């Protein structure tokens, strides 16, 4: 299915599973900015919504409750993704409210969350850069997932490089990164293509660059 169908399924699952304040926030607060983030940043990066939760409820450091725009949660990983609008209310925020906002973010970090924040303008004007950042931060844990496969150390390092960069990589980049000969690098890249971890991004007879295959994207 495409984005629209998957998005509706994703939202319906969470709407049906929640009640109270979180349900209200999903119905009223999950609007244009959040949907735009999913459509232009998250979906092009991963083509699924696994492990992603909208309007995720967490305990506040003042014994209250707060809601994260999106939480990406799986064993050993907790990532908070926030999309911040820029509007008149920001001009009227007090110094104490500003300090409180920073303290809330610090508390999330103390509690083990990785916090990633984008402005509405970033999502709208620079979606590709936002995609790269999301791929990079989630890709930090790729090695933990790949221990279930039969990949060699060098193969894992090539995949980490591709995820950190967030776009196609060239054999020359891999040579410089791993400090290996072109012959060895071509062999590693060929092995990853055979395993469907990488796919050619440009070139047919002579491949000039490679990008992540769906098999790796599904692990992220």
């Amino acid at each position: 299915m495409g984005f629209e169908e998957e998005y509706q399924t994703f939202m319906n699952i969470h709407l049906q599973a929640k009640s109270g304040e979180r349900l209200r926030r999903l119905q009223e607060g999950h609007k244009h900015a959040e949907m735009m983030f999913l459509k232009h940043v998250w979906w092009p990066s991963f083509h699924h919504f696994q492990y992603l939760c909208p309007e995720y409820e967490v305990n506040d450091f003042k014994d209250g409750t707060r809601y994260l725009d999106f939480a990406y949660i799986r064993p050993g990983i907790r990532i908070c993704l926030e999309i911040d609008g820029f509007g008149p209310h920001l001009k009227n925020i007090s110094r104490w409210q500003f300090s409180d906002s920073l303290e809330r973010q610090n508390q999330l970090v103390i509690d083990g969350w990785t916090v990633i924040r984008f402005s509405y303008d970033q999502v709208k004007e620079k979606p590709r850069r936002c995609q790269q950042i999301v791929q990079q931060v989630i890709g930090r844990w790729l090695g933990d997932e790949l221990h279930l496969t039969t990949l060699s150390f060098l193969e894992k390092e090539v995949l980490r490089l591709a995820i950190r960069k967030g776009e196609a990589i060239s054999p020359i980049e891999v040579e410089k990164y791993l400090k290996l000969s072109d012959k060895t690098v071509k062999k590693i890249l060929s092995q990853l293509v055979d395993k469907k971890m990488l796919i050619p991004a440009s070139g047919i007879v002579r491949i000039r660059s490679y990008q992540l295959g769906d098999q790796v994207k599904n692990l992220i």
Side-chain angles (χ1 to χ4, degrees):
M1 292 191 294
F3 170 78
E4 297 296 339
E5 295 86 353
E6 290 284 3
Y7 173 73
Q8 288 302 321
T9 300
F10 169 69
M11 290 301 298
N12 287 338
I13 288 172
H14 288 280
L15 286 168
Q16 293 169 11
K18 303 304 175 183
S19 60
E21 176 62 14
R22 185 166 177 239
L23 176 60
R24 186 192 70 79
R25 294 180 69 93
L26 278 172
Q27 292 172 329
E28 301 177 9
H30 189 91
K31 296 183 179 179
H32 179 66
E34 289 81 3
M35 193 274 283
M36 189 170 67
F37 169 79
L38 292 178
K39 185 173 185 178
H40 298 294
V41 177
W42 190 270
W43 181 258
S45 298
F46 307 115
H47 295 285
H48 65 72
F49 299 119
Q50 286 181 289
Y51 312 111
L52 194 66
C53 184
E55 296 297 335
Y56 186 78
E57 182 177 334
V58 296
N59 293 326
D60 188 80
F61 72 101
K62 292 182 178 178
D63 296 324
T65 300
R66 69 169 300 189
Y67 295 86
L68 312 180
D69 288 342
F70 295 101
Y72 179 86
I73 301 175
R74 59 196 302 184
I77 306 174
R78 292 198 298 174
I79 301 174
C80 163
L81 297 155
E82 295 275 280
I83 298 87
D84 299 318
F86 182 80
H89 67 283
L90 291 181
K91 298 178 182 178
N92 300 323
I93 190 171
S94 71
R95 297 176 68 145
W96 290 113
Q97 288 173 316
F98 178 67
S99 297
D100 184 69
S101 175
L102 296 180
E103 188 168 0
R104 287 169 184 266
Q105 178 170 315
N106 291 342
Q107 191 61 49
L108 281 173
V109 175
I110 292 170
D111 289 342
W113 288 84
T114 296
V115 180
I116 303 297
R117 301 179 72 172
F118 297 109
S119 70
Y120 174 86
D121 290 337
Q122 282 179 300
V123 173
K124 181 180 179 181
E125 304 295 339
K126 299 181 179 180
R128 182 58 186 141
R129 179 57 186 148
C130 296
Q131 291 170 25
Q132 291 172 338
I133 291 172
V134 170
Q135 289 173 326
Q136 288 165 359
V137 70
I138 293 178
R140 289 173 52 195
W141 287 274
L142 179 63
D144 295 334
E145 293 295 322
L146 292 180
H147 78 280
L148 299 175
T149 74
T150 57
L151 296 181
S152 69
F153 170 78
L154 291 177
E155 289 171 332
K156 290 180 183 179
E157 287 302 305
V158 171
L159 293 179
R160 289 192 183 101
L161 173 64
I163 289 176
R164 283 198 298 270
K165 187 177 180 186
E167 56 187 32
I169 57 173
S170 68
I172 294 178
E173 287 178 285
V174 179
E175 290 174 28
K176 292 180 179 178
Y177 177 65
L178 296 178
K179 297 180 173 57
L180 296 173
S181 68
D182 61 339
K183 182 178 180 180
T184 301
V185 166
K186 287 178 182 177
K187 180 179 179 181
I188 296 170
L189 292 171
S190 177
Q191 290 170 343
L192 289 171
V193 170
D194 290 341
K195 295 177 181 179
K196 303 187 185 307
M197 297 287 183
L198 291 179
I199 59 175
S202 65
I204 299 176
V205 177
R206 182 179 179 182
I207 303 172
R208 296 185 296 276
S209 61
Y210 299 79
Q211 62 187 21
L212 295 173
D214 289 340
Q215 186 169 338
V216 176
K217 290 181 178 180
N218 290 335
L219 290 174
I220 299 176

